Amino acid sequence: MSLLGEKAAPTSWTVEASGDELEVSLEPGERWWGGAVADGRHMPFGIRPHTRDLARSAGMLDNELQGANQSCPLLLSSTGRVVWSERPFAFAFADGRLCLTGREVVLGRGGTTLREAFRAASARFFPPSGHAPARELFTGPQYNSWIELPYTPTQDGVLAYARGLLDAGLPPGVLMIDDCWAEDYGTWRFDRARFPDPAALVAQLHEWGCSVMLWVVPFVSPDSATFRLLEARGLLIRDKAGDPVVRRWWNGLSAMLDLTDPGAVDWLHGELGALIDETGVDGFKFDAGDVVHYRLDDVTAGRGEPVDLCEAWARVGLRYAFNEYRGCWKTAGKPLAQRLHDKPPAWGGEGIESLVPELLAQSLLGHPFTCPDMVGGGELNAVTEAGTVDQEFFVRYAQVAALAPMMQFSLSPGRVLDGDHREALAEALAIRQELLPLILDLVDHAATTGEPVVRPMAYHADGLEDITDQFFLGADLIVAPVLRKGATDRKVVLPAGTWRADDGTVVEGPATITAHVDLRRIPRFRRYVKPAPASGRA
């Protein structure tokens, strides 16, 4: 059988109901995914009550900001049903019913399985572009300066960070220079006090085998020369009185580009293009631009709502093969690299146990080019205040990331790990390298078909809808990462078929087994086709 799995049947589509308010009875055993990645650890829906208003904010859950991540007006069912709207809608699961409120919400059927629902929705509503982000985002690890150089990147500091990674034995990869490399927010030129020769910096990193990306946001510092230029051109979001909006975000107060205005988009591409021409950088990490940063009464050229402004920011990245986003609205099927929001360095549901469910949520919302947060957690205050790094946690986190489409570090492993844990990390990187041909094949498959790289168990196996701590990598490899502190074994659920484990064990499914683990093991199970008996005369 192909590593990409059996050829899926052609998609079908039947509309069952449509309107601004729908009430849907759940079918026996039916489970649902979709809406917002921030809800990933609550998926699949249908077991317990859950509500979400995509129009209000893709990042708000129980009135608390939850790292918006990606969101889309899409729900998918394990029995082949699909909910879609071109506009955001609210939904609630309770008492065996799904209640939907929005504008022209459609309930349709794309088949009888989760995979058929996804393929039908993808083909009809967010067809794949045929392209993937830059190959380098997948082939090597990504390295982000954020945790090691928070708000203080310098030319010497970035070079020392990169050299330390390589000298510790990590392979070259994409290096992202995070916040505060520029003169000011919106003034996208290197701060020459910190970076006296940015072209030489980029040339050196290229010589070491690293591509280079720069962090940017859709904000503009008030009263800067850039602010005055953009205000004069009418390229900033305004309030009802016609004045530029100045809004608080995590780094202070800023004005905001009106990216529904083609003039603002052209201006930004001009600034970013000049950076590429002058310094040789390869692309950009497009941060912020979440739905929560905008308001319904914002005045924009395109008369957009908050979701439209979030979508406009995401579309900026389509010009650059080297891109990364952490928050998007309705950009499924596009060649955009998507990362999970900043995570705390914590065991349990808020931390490491949220990675697989949220990666699967990203994938089912039409974002196959996924990346967990930075290995060890990217939530700056939590990481820096924690003091000593939990080395076991760091390794287990890296093992999840190693078998995701993309893998990103920020903390330097050579600085925070002892010899035993560095060896365990090296083993995870070796496993990733061994499976990289499969991962790249799946990336190409995703670009042309839209199908996810990492897939829920229910995508290929009926009856496993509620298994959310393991996943399919393609159709023929099951990955069951270790997510519990001090674990020496790991329960794994296998569907029908014959499965060969990474330790050579052959298991006949369906079965629930206990895999014994040490620090270096990532339990993996490949679909196994028994060799045909030898033929010939006695």
Side-chain angles (χ1 to χ4, degrees):
M1 182 176 291
S2 163
L3 290 176
L4 299 181
E6 72 283 2
K7 184 177 179 181
T11 60
S12 61
W13 178 253
T14 303
V15 174
E16 296 188 343
S18 63
D20 295 345
E21 293 188 6
L22 299 177
E23 185 171 307
V24 181
S25 295
L26 300 188
E27 297 176 339
E30 188 175 28
R31 300 288 186 264
W32 291 79
W33 291 258
V37 170
D39 291 345
R41 63 192 179 93
H42 301 285
M43 299 177 196
F45 306 130
I47 307 169
R48 60 190 67 87
H50 185 84
T51 62
R52 166 66 75 180
D53 186 347
L54 297 172
R56 176 166 155 259
S57 167
M60 298 295 289
L61 184 64
D62 298 330
N63 296 317
E64 295 182 4
L65 186 62
Q66 296 287 322
N69 267 58
Q70 302 75 20
S71 55
C72 187
L74 170 71
L75 295 172
L76 299 168
S77 151
S78 60
T79 62
R81 297 200 288 181
V82 177
V83 173
W84 174 265
S85 176
E86 293 297 327
R87 305 303 305 166
F89 56 80
F91 62 89
F93 288 91
D95 302 322
R97 295 189 304 275
L98 165 60
C99 296
L100 301 150
T101 305
R103 285 169 280 177
E104 298 181 6
V105 182
V106 175
L107 170 69
R109 185 173 292 279
T112 60
T113 67
L114 175 61
R115 187 183 192 188
E116 290 171 350
F118 178 88
R119 286 175 55 84
S122 174
R124 189 170 187 86
F125 302 119
F126 46 93
S129 69
H131 302 282
R135 205 70 162 179
E136 291 85 344
L137 290 164
F138 306 96
T139 55
Q142 303 166 10
Y143 305 108
N144 189 299
S145 68
W146 176 236
I147 301 295
E148 295 286 351
L149 302 168
Y151 300 114
T152 58
T154 64
Q155 185 157 337
D156 289 344
V158 169
L159 288 172
Y161 173 57
R163 193 64 258 165
L165 291 164
L166 301 177
D167 289 347
L170 276 78
V174 175
L175 193 145
M176 301 179 184
I177 304 176
D178 214 280
D179 195 358
C180 291
W181 62 269
E183 292 179 8
D184 211 344
Y185 299 125
T187 305
W188 301 121
R189 298 187 295 268
F190 273 94
D191 180 344
R192 291 307 179 101
R194 296 185 177 198
F195 295 87
D197 192 347
L201 165 68
V202 174
Q204 180 63 77
L205 291 170
H206 282 170
E207 183 178 327
W208 289 345
C210 296
S211 305
V212 183
M213 294 172 64
L214 301 175
W215 178 94
V216 295
V217 289
F219 300 127
V220 180
S221 293
D223 258 357
S224 62
T226 302
F227 172 89
R228 290 189 286 274
L229 169 69
L230 294 170
E231 181 185 24
R233 294 185 182 180
L235 301 181
L236 299 173
I237 295 173
R238 293 159 288 143
D239 60 23
K240 290 181 179 179
D243 296 320
V245 166
V246 176
R247 187 156 294 146
R248 182 172 294 280
W249 57 296
W250 68 78
N251 278 349
L253 295 164
S254 293
M256 309 179 73
L257 275 173
D258 178 7
L259 294 168
T260 69
D261 188 325
V265 176
D266 289 344
W267 174 84
L268 181 57
H269 283 314
E271 298 296 297
L272 301 184
L275 271 168
I276 292 173
D277 293 342
E278 293 167 9
T279 68
V281 298
D282 300 285
F284 303 95
K285 170 184 174 176
F286 296 92
D287 206 355
D290 304 277
V291 176
V292 294
H293 294 138
Y294 305 102
R295 303 288 183 269
L296 284 170
D297 59 355
D298 286 340
V299 178
T300 62
R303 301 180 184 275
E305 298 177 17
V307 291
D308 301 304
L309 289 156
C310 179
E311 183 178 355
W313 177 234
R315 291 185 179 279
V316 170
L318 293 173
R319 183 172 293 194
Y320 309 95
F322 286 86
N323 67 71
E324 185 200 76
Y325 281 88
R326 180 202 40 74
C328 281
W329 166 258
K330 208 178 74 167
T331 45
K334 302 294 190 293
L336 299 175
Q338 305 284 351
R339 180 177 65 83
L340 294 180
H341 66 89
D342 295 353
K343 300 284 187 182
W347 300 94
E350 296 291 337
I352 193 170
E353 289 181 17
S354 70
L355 295 180
V356 172
E358 290 187 12
L359 286 171
L360 297 176
Q362 281 182 322
S363 299
L364 290 179
L365 286 176
H367 299 294
F369 313 119
T370 61
C371 182
D373 185 29
M374 305 164 194
V375 171
E379 192 174 290
L380 179 62
N381 291 337
V383 172
T384 55
E385 291 173 0
T388 303
V389 171
D390 184 332
Q391 297 186 59
E392 180 190 0
F393 175 85
F394 191 96
V395 168
R396 293 305 191 194
Y397 202 120
Q399 290 171 345
V400 177
L403 296 185
M406 294 180 282
M407 181 182 199
Q408 185 174 126
F409 291 92
S410 188
L411 278 171
S412 179
R415 184 178 67 80
V416 301
L417 299 182
D418 61 25
D420 288 343
H421 290 84
R422 284 200 299 271
E423 290 179 4
L425 174 62
E427 177 68 17
L429 290 169
I431 292 169
R432 178 177 179 83
Q433 193 62 32
E434 174 190 335
L435 291 173
L436 190 59
L438 169 61
I439 292 172
L440 294 177
D441 281 349
L442 289 166
V443 166
D444 292 338
H445 182 75
T448 56
T449 69
E451 287 206 277
V453 176
V454 294
R455 306 168 182 180
M457 296 301 295
Y459 200 83
H460 292 296
D462 293 337
L464 301 186
E465 290 78 12
D466 298 336
I467 304 298
T468 60
D469 61 350
Q470 57 186 67
F471 59 90
F472 273 99
L473 184 61
D476 298 325
L477 184 67
I478 293 171
V479 179
V482 179
L483 306 172
R484 298 294 179 90
K485 184 176 179 63
T488 57
D489 54 49
R490 166 67 155 91
K491 186 178 81 170
V492 183
V493 180
L494 298 171
T498 304
W499 302 92
R500 187 182 185 93
D502 55 287
D503 65 359
T505 305
V506 175
V507 180
E508 290 293 337
T512 299
I513 66 166
T514 298
H516 299 290
V517 299
D518 58 21
L519 184 64
R520 299 187 181 197
R521 187 177 182 194
I522 312 172
R524 307 177 304 285
F525 300 81
R526 188 181 296 277
R527 198 183 300 274
Y528 180 61
V529 179
K530 297 177 182 178
S535 60
R537 289 181 295 179

